[in-house]
Amino acid sequence: MSQRLKDRVAVVTGAARGIGRAIAERFASEGARVACLDVSAGRIEQAVAEMQAAGHNVRGYVVDVSNRAAVRAVFERIEVDFGAPIAALVNNAAWIRYQAPQDIDEETLDRMLGVGLKALVWTLQAALPQLERSGHGAVVNICSTAAVRATADSMAYCAVKGGVAALTRAAAVDFGRRGIRVNAIAPAFVPTAAALANFNGAAVTRRTESTPLGRLAQPEEIAAVATFLVSDDSTFINGELIIADGGRANAAL
Ligand SMILES: NC(=O)c1ccc[n+]([C@@H]2O[C@H](COP(=O)([O-])OP(=O)(O)OC[C@H]3O[C@@H](n4cnc5c(N)ncnc54)[C@H](O)[C@@H]3O)[C@@H](O)[C@H]2O)c1
């Protein structure tokens, strides 16, 4: 494995499982020191123990990323713990429910927006001074093809991810002036435990068959794009939404 992120401090939110965990592992394999944030204490403790056992330089932090004060405090602690400013931030955490428009309730919508969109404002605010001081500052927001394509019962999810795409463009303007790049990745269906809880059986088969590559993405393939976007291999890419969907959005299959 190359060492494109050697000694850099990286933060990955929602790192206990799924795509976030794959990103944390890939960053660590590339030489980064990774702060793994998650709201689930049990899951992050176990995931971090497994990653450490595999030789990765990772630490776990329990935090609800939708809580501004908690985010600020944990980002300050990360700099102290690692002894260096954060150079890479991946906003991956999400809490997702698919509901028919008439069934969307206030509590569900608030939580989806809180974790999936509001949290990005808090982490960007908290990380800004550190990203700037690091000299390599780069942010990746995990968006979704839901930002550009809709499916049934996805009104709230599309609103969250459409917001992430727009926020990414806006942040790229403001942060770009400080030498920090902000980009997003839009995966289509990735068969993580969370995704399989929302879709299974025929819905998964349909998604597989309508993908030109004839298969679904693995979390590691999204992690590879995230690695490129925080590395010095993408130093002039800023404000982009990279679609990583095996060609599905462009196909009429
Ligand atoms: N899996 C897919 O099909 C797919 C497709 C497109 C985009 N995405 C996006 O990829 C990201 C990861 O998806 P996944 O399938 O790996 O999800 P996941 O549910 O497996 O992982 C999300 C993690 O975020 C954590 N989390 C939830 N609320 C939190 C909070 N308030 N604070 C901190 N952490 C919190 C969870 O505990 C969990 O570990 C999400 O942003 C999702 O929208 C996923």
PDB file of all heavy atoms in Angstrom, residues 14-20 37-40 43 63-66 92-96 115 142-144 157 161 187-190 192 194-195, ligand 1:
ATOM      1  N   GLY A  14     -18.961   8.494  11.742  1.00  0.00           N
ATOM      2  CA  GLY A  14     -19.702   7.269  11.442  1.00  0.00           C
ATOM      3  C   GLY A  14     -18.767   6.142  11.050  1.00  0.00           C
ATOM      4  O   GLY A  14     -19.039   5.377  10.132  1.00  0.00           O
ATOM      5  N   ALA A  15     -17.640   6.036  11.781  1.00  0.00           N
ATOM      6  CA  ALA A  15     -16.563   5.121  11.380  1.00  0.00           C
ATOM      7  C   ALA A  15     -16.704   3.719  11.975  1.00  0.00           C
ATOM      8  O   ALA A  15     -15.861   2.865  11.747  1.00  0.00           O
ATOM      9  CB  ALA A  15     -15.208   5.706  11.779  1.00  0.00           C
ATOM     10  N   ALA A  16     -17.780   3.454  12.719  1.00  0.00           N
ATOM     11  CA  ALA A  16     -17.888   2.169  13.402  1.00  0.00           C
ATOM     12  C   ALA A  16     -18.186   1.022  12.455  1.00  0.00           C
ATOM     13  O   ALA A  16     -17.916  -0.137  12.772  1.00  0.00           O
ATOM     14  CB  ALA A  16     -18.969   2.240  14.481  1.00  0.00           C
ATOM     15  N   ARG A  17     -18.794   1.333  11.302  1.00  0.00           N
ATOM     16  CA  ARG A  17     -19.155   0.229  10.397  1.00  0.00           C
ATOM     17  C   ARG A  17     -19.329   0.780   8.978  1.00  0.00           C
ATOM     18  O   ARG A  17     -19.233   1.992   8.738  1.00  0.00           O
ATOM     19  CB  ARG A  17     -20.439  -0.453  10.876  1.00  0.00           C
ATOM     20  CG  ARG A  17     -21.644   0.466  10.806  1.00  0.00           C
ATOM     21  CD  ARG A  17     -22.920  -0.229  11.279  1.00  0.00           C
ATOM     22  NE  ARG A  17     -24.072   0.589  10.934  1.00  0.00           N
ATOM     23  CZ  ARG A  17     -25.315   0.342  11.301  1.00  0.00           C
ATOM     24  NH1 ARG A  17     -25.573  -0.713  12.042  1.00  0.00           N
ATOM     25  NH2 ARG A  17     -26.292   1.122  10.918  1.00  0.00           N
ATOM     26  N   GLY A  18     -19.616  -0.118   8.055  1.00  0.00           N
ATOM     27  CA  GLY A  18     -19.983   0.266   6.693  1.00  0.00           C
ATOM     28  C   GLY A  18     -18.899   1.071   5.974  1.00  0.00           C
ATOM     29  O   GLY A  18     -17.703   0.798   6.087  1.00  0.00           O
ATOM     30  N   ILE A  19     -19.344   2.063   5.229  1.00  0.00           N
ATOM     31  CA  ILE A  19     -18.431   2.849   4.390  1.00  0.00           C
ATOM     32  C   ILE A  19     -17.429   3.619   5.248  1.00  0.00           C
ATOM     33  O   ILE A  19     -16.248   3.706   4.919  1.00  0.00           O
ATOM     34  CB  ILE A  19     -19.261   3.802   3.490  1.00  0.00           C
ATOM     35  CG1 ILE A  19     -20.100   2.986   2.486  1.00  0.00           C
ATOM     36  CG2 ILE A  19     -18.362   4.791   2.757  1.00  0.00           C
ATOM     37  CD1 ILE A  19     -21.139   3.800   1.717  1.00  0.00           C
ATOM     38  N   GLY A  20     -17.882   4.167   6.382  1.00  0.00           N
ATOM     39  CA  GLY A  20     -16.999   4.937   7.266  1.00  0.00           C
ATOM     40  C   GLY A  20     -15.847   4.100   7.785  1.00  0.00           C
ATOM     41  O   GLY A  20     -14.693   4.552   7.817  1.00  0.00           O
ATOM     42  N   LEU A  37     -14.959   8.600  14.699  1.00  0.00           N
ATOM     43  CA  LEU A  37     -16.063   9.153  15.490  1.00  0.00           C
ATOM     44  C   LEU A  37     -17.340   8.361  15.223  1.00  0.00           C
ATOM     45  O   LEU A  37     -17.638   8.027  14.068  1.00  0.00           O
ATOM     46  CB  LEU A  37     -16.316  10.622  15.097  1.00  0.00           C
ATOM     47  CG  LEU A  37     -15.447  11.690  15.755  1.00  0.00           C
ATOM     48  CD1 LEU A  37     -13.981  11.381  15.693  1.00  0.00           C
ATOM     49  CD2 LEU A  37     -15.746  13.059  15.154  1.00  0.00           C
ATOM     50  N   ASP A  38     -18.090   8.092  16.285  1.00  0.00           N
ATOM     51  CA  ASP A  38     -19.393   7.438  16.108  1.00  0.00           C
ATOM     52  C   ASP A  38     -20.248   7.683  17.343  1.00  0.00           C
ATOM     53  O   ASP A  38     -19.730   7.895  18.437  1.00  0.00           O
ATOM     54  CB  ASP A  38     -19.233   5.932  15.875  1.00  0.00           C
ATOM     55  CG  ASP A  38     -20.371   5.365  15.034  1.00  0.00           C
ATOM     56  OD1 ASP A  38     -21.473   5.172  15.589  1.00  0.00           O
ATOM     57  OD2 ASP A  38     -20.185   5.139  13.824  1.00  0.00           O
ATOM     58  N   VAL A  39     -21.554   7.637  17.151  1.00  0.00           N
ATOM     59  CA  VAL A  39     -22.478   7.838  18.267  1.00  0.00           C
ATOM     60  C   VAL A  39     -22.667   6.545  19.063  1.00  0.00           C
ATOM     61  O   VAL A  39     -23.087   6.584  20.220  1.00  0.00           O
ATOM     62  CB  VAL A  39     -23.838   8.383  17.755  1.00  0.00           C
ATOM     63  CG1 VAL A  39     -24.660   7.299  17.071  1.00  0.00           C
ATOM     64  CG2 VAL A  39     -24.624   9.072  18.854  1.00  0.00           C
ATOM     65  N   SER A  40     -22.332   5.419  18.446  1.00  0.00           N
ATOM     66  CA  SER A  40     -22.514   4.130  19.114  1.00  0.00           C
ATOM     67  C   SER A  40     -21.234   3.731  19.843  1.00  0.00           C
ATOM     68  O   SER A  40     -20.245   3.329  19.223  1.00  0.00           O
ATOM     69  CB  SER A  40     -22.888   3.051  18.086  1.00  0.00           C
ATOM     70  OG  SER A  40     -22.783   1.779  18.677  1.00  0.00           O
ATOM     71  N   ARG A  43     -20.204  -0.068  19.360  1.00  0.00           N
ATOM     72  CA  ARG A  43     -19.716  -0.397  18.017  1.00  0.00           C
ATOM     73  C   ARG A  43     -18.354   0.236  17.728  1.00  0.00           C
ATOM     74  O   ARG A  43     -17.483  -0.387  17.128  1.00  0.00           O
ATOM     75  CB  ARG A  43     -20.726   0.053  16.957  1.00  0.00           C
ATOM     76  CG  ARG A  43     -21.822  -0.960  16.693  1.00  0.00           C
ATOM     77  CD  ARG A  43     -22.398  -0.810  15.291  1.00  0.00           C
ATOM     78  NE  ARG A  43     -22.985   0.489  15.059  1.00  0.00           N
ATOM     79  CZ  ARG A  43     -24.287   0.756  15.119  1.00  0.00           C
ATOM     80  NH1 ARG A  43     -25.126  -0.191  15.448  1.00  0.00           N
ATOM     81  NH2 ARG A  43     -24.754   1.964  14.864  1.00  0.00           N
ATOM     82  N   VAL A  63     -19.333  10.463  19.932  1.00  0.00           N
ATOM     83  CA  VAL A  63     -19.900  11.804  19.817  1.00  0.00           C
ATOM     84  C   VAL A  63     -21.111  11.762  18.889  1.00  0.00           C
ATOM     85  O   VAL A  63     -21.134  11.008  17.917  1.00  0.00           O
ATOM     86  CB  VAL A  63     -18.842  12.816  19.295  1.00  0.00           C
ATOM     87  CG1 VAL A  63     -18.366  12.451  17.901  1.00  0.00           C
ATOM     88  CG2 VAL A  63     -19.363  14.241  19.306  1.00  0.00           C
ATOM     89  N   ASP A  64     -22.103  12.578  19.215  1.00  0.00           N
ATOM     90  CA  ASP A  64     -23.235  12.787  18.318  1.00  0.00           C
ATOM     91  C   ASP A  64     -22.870  13.988  17.441  1.00  0.00           C
ATOM     92  O   ASP A  64     -22.814  15.122  17.922  1.00  0.00           O
ATOM     93  CB  ASP A  64     -24.502  13.070  19.135  1.00  0.00           C
ATOM     94  CG  ASP A  64     -25.696  13.428  18.265  1.00  0.00           C
ATOM     95  OD1 ASP A  64     -25.539  13.566  17.034  1.00  0.00           O
ATOM     96  OD2 ASP A  64     -26.797  13.574  18.826  1.00  0.00           O
ATOM     97  N   VAL A  65     -22.619  13.743  16.170  1.00  0.00           N
ATOM     98  CA  VAL A  65     -22.097  14.821  15.316  1.00  0.00           C
ATOM     99  C   VAL A  65     -23.128  15.926  15.037  1.00  0.00           C
ATOM    100  O   VAL A  65     -22.764  16.981  14.524  1.00  0.00           O
ATOM    101  CB  VAL A  65     -21.521  14.292  13.979  1.00  0.00           C
ATOM    102  CG1 VAL A  65     -20.243  13.519  14.212  1.00  0.00           C
ATOM    103  CG2 VAL A  65     -22.548  13.467  13.213  1.00  0.00           C
ATOM    104  N   SER A  66     -24.374  15.694  15.414  1.00  0.00           N
ATOM    105  CA  SER A  66     -25.370  16.763  15.218  1.00  0.00           C
ATOM    106  C   SER A  66     -25.348  17.773  16.368  1.00  0.00           C
ATOM    107  O   SER A  66     -26.045  18.790  16.325  1.00  0.00           O
ATOM    108  CB  SER A  66     -26.776  16.169  15.052  1.00  0.00           C
ATOM    109  OG  SER A  66     -27.206  15.556  16.243  1.00  0.00           O
ATOM    110  N   ASN A  92     -19.167  11.293   6.988  1.00  0.00           N
ATOM    111  CA  ASN A  92     -19.795  10.068   6.476  1.00  0.00           C
ATOM    112  C   ASN A  92     -21.039   9.673   7.267  1.00  0.00           C
ATOM    113  O   ASN A  92     -21.930   9.030   6.720  1.00  0.00           O
ATOM    114  CB  ASN A  92     -18.750   8.938   6.523  1.00  0.00           C
ATOM    115  CG  ASN A  92     -19.376   7.571   6.400  1.00  0.00           C
ATOM    116  OD1 ASN A  92     -19.693   7.119   5.303  1.00  0.00           O
ATOM    117  ND2 ASN A  92     -19.599   6.901   7.546  1.00  0.00           N
ATOM    118  N   ALA A  93     -21.113  10.070   8.548  1.00  0.00           N
ATOM    119  CA  ALA A  93     -22.222   9.607   9.403  1.00  0.00           C
ATOM    120  C   ALA A  93     -23.568  10.008   8.815  1.00  0.00           C
ATOM    121  O   ALA A  93     -23.724  11.084   8.230  1.00  0.00           O
ATOM    122  CB  ALA A  93     -22.077  10.192  10.807  1.00  0.00           C
ATOM    123  N   ALA A  94     -24.518   9.123   8.955  1.00  0.00           N
ATOM    124  CA  ALA A  94     -25.885   9.426   8.521  1.00  0.00           C
ATOM    125  C   ALA A  94     -26.839   8.546   9.306  1.00  0.00           C
ATOM    126  O   ALA A  94     -26.444   7.501   9.839  1.00  0.00           O
ATOM    127  CB  ALA A  94     -26.051   9.185   7.026  1.00  0.00           C
ATOM    128  N   TRP A  95     -28.045   8.992   9.408  1.00  0.00           N
ATOM    129  CA  TRP A  95     -29.115   8.191   9.996  1.00  0.00           C
ATOM    130  C   TRP A  95     -30.278   8.313   9.018  1.00  0.00           C
ATOM    131  O   TRP A  95     -30.735   9.414   8.745  1.00  0.00           O
ATOM    132  CB  TRP A  95     -29.468   8.721  11.382  1.00  0.00           C
ATOM    133  CG  TRP A  95     -30.470   7.868  12.082  1.00  0.00           C
ATOM    134  CD1 TRP A  95     -30.224   6.731  12.799  1.00  0.00           C
ATOM    135  CD2 TRP A  95     -31.890   8.088  12.150  1.00  0.00           C
ATOM    136  NE1 TRP A  95     -31.406   6.223  13.295  1.00  0.00           N
ATOM    137  CE2 TRP A  95     -32.432   7.037  12.912  1.00  0.00           C
ATOM    138  CE3 TRP A  95     -32.751   9.058  11.627  1.00  0.00           C
ATOM    139  CZ2 TRP A  95     -33.800   6.933  13.174  1.00  0.00           C
ATOM    140  CZ3 TRP A  95     -34.111   8.963  11.885  1.00  0.00           C
ATOM    141  CH2 TRP A  95     -34.623   7.916  12.653  1.00  0.00           C
ATOM    142  N   ILE A  96     -30.689   7.171   8.472  1.00  0.00           N
ATOM    143  CA  ILE A  96     -31.561   7.205   7.287  1.00  0.00           C
ATOM    144  C   ILE A  96     -32.832   6.386   7.478  1.00  0.00           C
ATOM    145  O   ILE A  96     -32.778   5.245   7.951  1.00  0.00           O
ATOM    146  CB  ILE A  96     -30.792   6.640   6.071  1.00  0.00           C
ATOM    147  CG1 ILE A  96     -29.586   7.517   5.760  1.00  0.00           C
ATOM    148  CG2 ILE A  96     -31.697   6.519   4.851  1.00  0.00           C
ATOM    149  CD1 ILE A  96     -28.467   6.767   5.080  1.00  0.00           C
ATOM    150  N   VAL A 115     -28.176  14.687  11.592  1.00  0.00           N
ATOM    151  CA  VAL A 115     -26.967  13.870  11.422  1.00  0.00           C
ATOM    152  C   VAL A 115     -26.399  14.033  10.014  1.00  0.00           C
ATOM    153  O   VAL A 115     -25.187  14.093   9.812  1.00  0.00           O
ATOM    154  CB  VAL A 115     -27.266  12.372  11.699  1.00  0.00           C
ATOM    155  CG1 VAL A 115     -25.994  11.536  11.557  1.00  0.00           C
ATOM    156  CG2 VAL A 115     -27.878  12.179  13.073  1.00  0.00           C
ATOM    157  N   ILE A 142     -19.646  12.459   2.258  1.00  0.00           N
ATOM    158  CA  ILE A 142     -20.253  11.299   1.605  1.00  0.00           C
ATOM    159  C   ILE A 142     -21.703  11.647   1.297  1.00  0.00           C
ATOM    160  O   ILE A 142     -22.543  11.756   2.201  1.00  0.00           O
ATOM    161  CB  ILE A 142     -20.140  10.024   2.462  1.00  0.00           C
ATOM    162  CG1 ILE A 142     -18.667   9.755   2.837  1.00  0.00           C
ATOM    163  CG2 ILE A 142     -20.719   8.834   1.695  1.00  0.00           C
ATOM    164  CD1 ILE A 142     -17.702   9.587   1.676  1.00  0.00           C
ATOM    165  N   CYS A 143     -21.944  11.863   0.021  1.00  0.00           N
ATOM    166  CA  CYS A 143     -23.257  12.266  -0.453  1.00  0.00           C
ATOM    167  C   CYS A 143     -23.963  11.004  -0.958  1.00  0.00           C
ATOM    168  O   CYS A 143     -23.828   9.921  -0.358  1.00  0.00           O
ATOM    169  CB  CYS A 143     -23.043  13.335  -1.527  1.00  0.00           C
ATOM    170  SG  CYS A 143     -24.518  14.163  -2.103  1.00  0.00           S
ATOM    171  N   SER A 144     -24.687  11.066  -2.039  1.00  0.00           N
ATOM    172  CA  SER A 144     -25.397   9.907  -2.590  1.00  0.00           C
ATOM    173  C   SER A 144     -25.940  10.291  -3.949  1.00  0.00           C
ATOM    174  O   SER A 144     -26.175  11.481  -4.222  1.00  0.00           O
ATOM    175  CB  SER A 144     -26.554   9.527  -1.663  1.00  0.00           C
ATOM    176  OG  SER A 144     -27.468   8.676  -2.326  1.00  0.00           O
ATOM    177  N   TYR A 157     -34.585  11.729   2.399  1.00  0.00           N
ATOM    178  CA  TYR A 157     -33.185  11.386   2.110  1.00  0.00           C
ATOM    179  C   TYR A 157     -32.634  12.255   0.975  1.00  0.00           C
ATOM    180  O   TYR A 157     -31.507  12.751   1.049  1.00  0.00           O
ATOM    181  CB  TYR A 157     -33.079   9.898   1.767  1.00  0.00           C
ATOM    182  CG  TYR A 157     -31.660   9.391   1.626  1.00  0.00           C
ATOM    183  CD1 TYR A 157     -30.727   9.580   2.647  1.00  0.00           C
ATOM    184  CD2 TYR A 157     -31.241   8.721   0.485  1.00  0.00           C
ATOM    185  CE1 TYR A 157     -29.421   9.118   2.521  1.00  0.00           C
ATOM    186  CE2 TYR A 157     -29.937   8.257   0.356  1.00  0.00           C
ATOM    187  CZ  TYR A 157     -29.032   8.459   1.375  1.00  0.00           C
ATOM    188  OH  TYR A 157     -27.738   8.001   1.254  1.00  0.00           O
ATOM    189  N   LYS A 161     -29.355  14.737   1.084  1.00  0.00           N
ATOM    190  CA  LYS A 161     -28.186  14.582   0.207  1.00  0.00           C
ATOM    191  C   LYS A 161     -28.103  15.702  -0.839  1.00  0.00           C
ATOM    192  O   LYS A 161     -27.008  16.088  -1.258  1.00  0.00           O
ATOM    193  CB  LYS A 161     -28.190  13.198  -0.437  1.00  0.00           C
ATOM    194  CG  LYS A 161     -27.999  12.066   0.578  1.00  0.00           C
ATOM    195  CD  LYS A 161     -26.694  12.212   1.387  1.00  0.00           C
ATOM    196  CE  LYS A 161     -26.418  11.005   2.263  1.00  0.00           C
ATOM    197  NZ  LYS A 161     -25.184  11.147   3.064  1.00  0.00           N
ATOM    198  N   PRO A 187     -22.125   7.745  -3.906  1.00  0.00           N
ATOM    199  CA  PRO A 187     -22.284   6.328  -4.244  1.00  0.00           C
ATOM    200  C   PRO A 187     -23.747   6.046  -4.568  1.00  0.00           C
ATOM    201  O   PRO A 187     -24.640   6.766  -4.119  1.00  0.00           O
ATOM    202  CB  PRO A 187     -21.901   5.593  -2.943  1.00  0.00           C
ATOM    203  CG  PRO A 187     -21.421   6.636  -1.982  1.00  0.00           C
ATOM    204  CD  PRO A 187     -21.975   7.947  -2.461  1.00  0.00           C
ATOM    205  N   ALA A 188     -23.982   4.973  -5.332  1.00  0.00           N
ATOM    206  CA  ALA A 188     -25.341   4.426  -5.426  1.00  0.00           C
ATOM    207  C   ALA A 188     -25.447   3.377  -4.318  1.00  0.00           C
ATOM    208  O   ALA A 188     -24.768   3.500  -3.293  1.00  0.00           O
ATOM    209  CB  ALA A 188     -25.565   3.842  -6.808  1.00  0.00           C
ATOM    210  N   PHE A 189     -26.241   2.370  -4.506  1.00  0.00           N
ATOM    211  CA  PHE A 189     -26.446   1.380  -3.443  1.00  0.00           C
ATOM    212  C   PHE A 189     -25.149   0.625  -3.119  1.00  0.00           C
ATOM    213  O   PHE A 189     -24.512   0.066  -4.007  1.00  0.00           O
ATOM    214  CB  PHE A 189     -27.528   0.380  -3.884  1.00  0.00           C
ATOM    215  CG  PHE A 189     -27.949  -0.560  -2.819  1.00  0.00           C
ATOM    216  CD1 PHE A 189     -28.831  -0.162  -1.827  1.00  0.00           C
ATOM    217  CD2 PHE A 189     -27.468  -1.862  -2.791  1.00  0.00           C
ATOM    218  CE1 PHE A 189     -29.230  -1.037  -0.829  1.00  0.00           C
ATOM    219  CE2 PHE A 189     -27.858  -2.747  -1.793  1.00  0.00           C
ATOM    220  CZ  PHE A 189     -28.741  -2.336  -0.815  1.00  0.00           C
ATOM    221  N   VAL A 190     -24.774   0.646  -1.851  1.00  0.00           N
ATOM    222  CA  VAL A 190     -23.614  -0.111  -1.364  1.00  0.00           C
ATOM    223  C   VAL A 190     -24.165  -1.064  -0.293  1.00  0.00           C
ATOM    224  O   VAL A 190     -24.762  -0.598   0.684  1.00  0.00           O
ATOM    225  CB  VAL A 190     -22.546   0.812  -0.729  1.00  0.00           C
ATOM    226  CG1 VAL A 190     -21.325   0.012  -0.291  1.00  0.00           C
ATOM    227  CG2 VAL A 190     -22.148   1.923  -1.694  1.00  0.00           C
ATOM    228  N   THR A 192     -24.190  -2.298   2.584  1.00  0.00           N
ATOM    229  CA  THR A 192     -23.801  -2.303   3.991  1.00  0.00           C
ATOM    230  C   THR A 192     -25.000  -2.819   4.803  1.00  0.00           C
ATOM    231  O   THR A 192     -26.113  -2.924   4.277  1.00  0.00           O
ATOM    232  CB  THR A 192     -23.455  -0.887   4.468  1.00  0.00           C
ATOM    233  OG1 THR A 192     -24.635  -0.067   4.322  1.00  0.00           O
ATOM    234  CG2 THR A 192     -22.326  -0.275   3.647  1.00  0.00           C
ATOM    235  N   ALA A 194     -26.664  -1.268   7.000  1.00  0.00           N
ATOM    236  CA  ALA A 194     -27.708  -0.237   7.044  1.00  0.00           C
ATOM    237  C   ALA A 194     -28.508  -0.216   5.748  1.00  0.00           C
ATOM    238  O   ALA A 194     -29.739  -0.106   5.761  1.00  0.00           O
ATOM    239  CB  ALA A 194     -27.064   1.125   7.291  1.00  0.00           C
ATOM    240  N   ALA A 195     -27.814  -0.326   4.629  1.00  0.00           N
ATOM    241  CA  ALA A 195     -28.503  -0.280   3.339  1.00  0.00           C
ATOM    242  C   ALA A 195     -29.384  -1.508   3.164  1.00  0.00           C
ATOM    243  O   ALA A 195     -30.509  -1.412   2.664  1.00  0.00           O
ATOM    244  CB  ALA A 195     -27.475  -0.188   2.211  1.00  0.00           C
TER     245      ALA A 195
HETATM  246  N1  LIG B   1     -24.899   2.157   1.836  1.00  0.00           N
HETATM  247  C1  LIG B   1     -25.416   2.781   0.787  1.00  0.00           C
HETATM  248  O1  LIG B   1     -26.124   2.199  -0.055  1.00  0.00           O
HETATM  249  C2  LIG B   1     -25.128   4.238   0.566  1.00  0.00           C
HETATM  250  C3  LIG B   1     -25.352   4.788  -0.698  1.00  0.00           C
HETATM  251  C4  LIG B   1     -25.103   6.152  -0.912  1.00  0.00           C
HETATM  252  C5  LIG B   1     -24.625   6.925   0.135  1.00  0.00           C
HETATM  253  N2  LIG B   1     -24.415   6.357   1.359  1.00  0.00           N
HETATM  254  C6  LIG B   1     -23.941   7.203   2.427  1.00  0.00           C
HETATM  255  O2  LIG B   1     -22.762   6.637   2.965  1.00  0.00           O
HETATM  256  C7  LIG B   1     -22.670   6.964   4.357  1.00  0.00           C
HETATM  257  C8  LIG B   1     -22.462   5.697   5.168  1.00  0.00           C
HETATM  258  O3  LIG B   1     -23.479   4.763   4.868  1.00  0.00           O
HETATM  259  P1  LIG B   1     -23.466   3.286   5.485  1.00  0.00           P
HETATM  260  O4  LIG B   1     -24.371   2.471   4.632  1.00  0.00           O
HETATM  261  O5  LIG B   1     -22.060   2.843   5.706  1.00  0.00           O
HETATM  262  O6  LIG B   1     -24.213   3.564   6.880  1.00  0.00           O
HETATM  263  P2  LIG B   1     -24.097   2.870   8.334  1.00  0.00           P
HETATM  264  O7  LIG B   1     -25.397   3.066   8.993  1.00  0.00           O
HETATM  265  O8  LIG B   1     -23.558   1.477   8.185  1.00  0.00           O
HETATM  266  O9  LIG B   1     -22.992   3.761   9.053  1.00  0.00           O
HETATM  267  C9  LIG B   1     -23.295   5.002   9.545  1.00  0.00           C
HETATM  268  C10 LIG B   1     -22.582   5.184  10.875  1.00  0.00           C
HETATM  269  O10 LIG B   1     -22.920   6.496  11.348  1.00  0.00           O
HETATM  270  C11 LIG B   1     -23.121   6.397  12.737  1.00  0.00           C
HETATM  271  N3  LIG B   1     -23.967   7.499  13.210  1.00  0.00           N
HETATM  272  C12 LIG B   1     -25.319   7.599  13.119  1.00  0.00           C
HETATM  273  N4  LIG B   1     -25.744   8.700  13.737  1.00  0.00           N
HETATM  274  C13 LIG B   1     -24.644   9.338  14.213  1.00  0.00           C
HETATM  275  C14 LIG B   1     -24.441  10.537  14.954  1.00  0.00           C
HETATM  276  N5  LIG B   1     -25.469  11.292  15.326  1.00  0.00           N
HETATM  277  N6  LIG B   1     -23.169  10.880  15.280  1.00  0.00           N
HETATM  278  C15 LIG B   1     -22.125  10.100  14.917  1.00  0.00           C
HETATM  279  N7  LIG B   1     -22.266   8.947  14.216  1.00  0.00           N
HETATM  280  C16 LIG B   1     -23.500   8.563  13.878  1.00  0.00           C
HETATM  281  C17 LIG B   1     -23.766   5.051  12.939  1.00  0.00           C
HETATM  282  O11 LIG B   1     -23.672   4.589  14.292  1.00  0.00           O
HETATM  283  C18 LIG B   1     -23.011   4.187  11.938  1.00  0.00           C
HETATM  284  O12 LIG B   1     -21.887   3.570  12.529  1.00  0.00           O
HETATM  285  C19 LIG B   1     -23.948   7.723   4.686  1.00  0.00           C
HETATM  286  O13 LIG B   1     -23.724   9.111   4.596  1.00  0.00           O
HETATM  287  C20 LIG B   1     -24.900   7.275   3.593  1.00  0.00           C
HETATM  288  O14 LIG B   1     -25.946   8.189   3.360  1.00  0.00           O
HETATM  289  C21 LIG B   1     -24.649   5.036   1.588  1.00  0.00           C
END
